[in-house]
């Protein structure tokens, strides 16, 4: 999953980036409203963390422009303390949730997980497909109850698919959602990650999920 992080405070942005990456997200960053607007309009982000007090163009304006342009990704706004009208204006402008500074990183991560879950129609923090499970809180993956160790990229591919069971996902869509904007993307690597996931998550059980290749189209996570 790919997060757009918009925050002009360098220290806070660095802390948030590290926490998001540690939680298994791909992170794109902006430190002003103009760059943020551009990234949010052109990149396939799964959620946005948007500070409202930004240089060049303020966060509220950026949010309104995204929504006016039909960009409907979940947006979590960061607001100043004791500024309740900012929260109201943010939610009215199309924010899905807010956090008041200062906040705990754990709360930010929990709210983001919930936003991403809701956007893909998932209700539980533990995604289940057949005998495969992925705990979005801990990043733990298991097959038939046995823990499975995945690399960061394998996890990102599985996480994206587990949020969309039964849905055909193209290779380019997967590529867009697991690599940041400045990364040298190669959609052939997706095939490698999927191949490794199939091996690591193989089980003889009839309850096993599988990742189906739809020739020329992409992949689909198939429940048993
Ligand atoms: Ca700020």
């Amino acid at each position: 999953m790919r997060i757009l992080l918009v925050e002009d405070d360098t220290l806070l942005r660095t802390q948030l980036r590290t926490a998001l990456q540690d939680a298994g997200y791909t992170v794109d960053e902006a430190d002003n409203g103009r760059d943020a607007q551009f990234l949010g309009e052109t990149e396939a982000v799964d959620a946005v963390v948007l500070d409202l007090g930004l240089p060049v163009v303020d966060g509220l304006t950026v949010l309104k422009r995204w929504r006016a342009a039909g960009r409907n990704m979940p947006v979590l706004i960061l607001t100043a303390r004791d500024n309740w009208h900012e929260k109201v204006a943010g939610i009215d402008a199309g924010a899905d949730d807010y956090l008041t500074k200062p906040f705990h990183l754990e709360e930010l991560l929990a709210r983001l997980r919930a936003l991403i879950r809701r956007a893909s129609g998932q209700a539980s923090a533990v995604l289940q497909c057949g005998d495969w499970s992925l705990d979005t809180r801990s990043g733990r993956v298991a097959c038939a109850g046995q823990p499975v160790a995945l690399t960061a990229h394998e996890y990102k591919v599985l996480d994206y698919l587990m949020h969309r069971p039964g849905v055909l996902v193209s290779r380019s869509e997967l590529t867009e959602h697991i690599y940041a904007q400045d990364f040298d993307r190669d959609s052939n690597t997706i095939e490698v990650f999927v191949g490794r996931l199939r091996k690591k998550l193989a089980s003889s059980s009839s309850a096993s999920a599988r990742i189906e290749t739809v020739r020329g189209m992409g992949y689909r996570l198939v429940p048993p």
Side-chain angles (χ1 to χ4, degrees):
M1 297 287 175
R2 207 169 151 195
I3 307 292
L4 172 57
L5 169 62
V6 188
E7 171 60 67
D8 58 318
D9 180 324
T10 309
L11 180 63
L12 179 58
R13 193 176 67 250
T14 305
Q15 287 171 343
L16 292 176
R17 180 212 307 139
T18 306
L20 289 167
Q21 287 174 338
D22 287 350
Y25 295 110
T26 295
V27 181
D28 291 86
E29 289 172 59
D31 62 4
N32 67 78
R34 187 187 49 222
D35 292 351
Q37 190 191 328
F38 177 74
L39 286 172
E41 273 175 10
T42 55
E43 297 299 319
V45 297
D46 295 288
V48 182
V49 177
L50 177 68
D51 180 35
L52 289 187
L54 291 172
V56 192
V57 181
D58 70 274
L60 206 57
T61 303
V62 172
L63 178 56
K64 283 179 186 161
R65 287 177 182 169
W66 282 339
R67 296 316 192 207
R71 302 295 285 174
N72 61 359
M73 64 283 194
V75 175
L76 171 73
I77 54 172
L78 306 179
T79 68
R81 200 148 63 104
D82 300 329
N83 197 346
W84 64 268
H85 43 89
E86 208 175 58
K87 290 169 201 158
V88 174
I91 289 164
D92 281 343
D96 298 275
D97 200 358
Y98 67 84
L99 265 179
T100 304
K101 291 179 180 178
F103 51 83
H104 289 281
L105 286 174
E106 285 306 319
E107 185 175 2
L108 176 98
L109 293 173
R111 287 177 183 273
L112 267 184
R113 284 194 295 270
L115 287 179
I116 291 170
R117 266 201 322 263
R118 253 180 265 147
S120 59
Q122 301 295 320
S124 164
V126 181
L127 307 175
Q128 196 85 40
C129 186
D131 60 359
W132 295 3
S133 71
L134 184 152
D135 189 330
T136 58
R137 295 161 303 188
S138 61
R140 286 199 190 99
V141 171
C143 175
Q146 295 301 308
V148 177
L150 300 181
T151 65
H153 279 114
E154 290 162 8
Y155 177 84
K156 286 178 191 194
V157 170
L158 184 67
D159 182 43
Y160 195 81
L161 292 173
M162 290 283 279
H163 274 85
R164 293 161 185 77
V167 176
L168 175 64
V169 178
S170 73
R171 269 208 290 182
S172 63
E173 180 179 345
L174 269 172
T175 309
E176 281 186 331
H177 287 268
I178 71 164
Y179 293 120
Q181 187 211 21
D182 50 7
F183 200 90
D184 183 21
R185 293 175 192 172
D186 176 1
S187 67
N188 288 320
T189 57
I190 298 289
E191 208 169 292
V192 176
F193 299 143
V194 168
R196 286 197 214 138
L197 283 170
R198 284 181 178 137
K199 272 196 195 118
K200 290 186 176 183
L201 292 161
S203 90
S204 51
S205 153
S206 60
S208 185
R210 61 196 171 82
I211 301 170
E212 176 186 78
T213 301
V214 182
R215 200 161 291 281
M217 307 277 277
Y219 302 100
R220 188 188 283 132
L221 176 66
V222 186

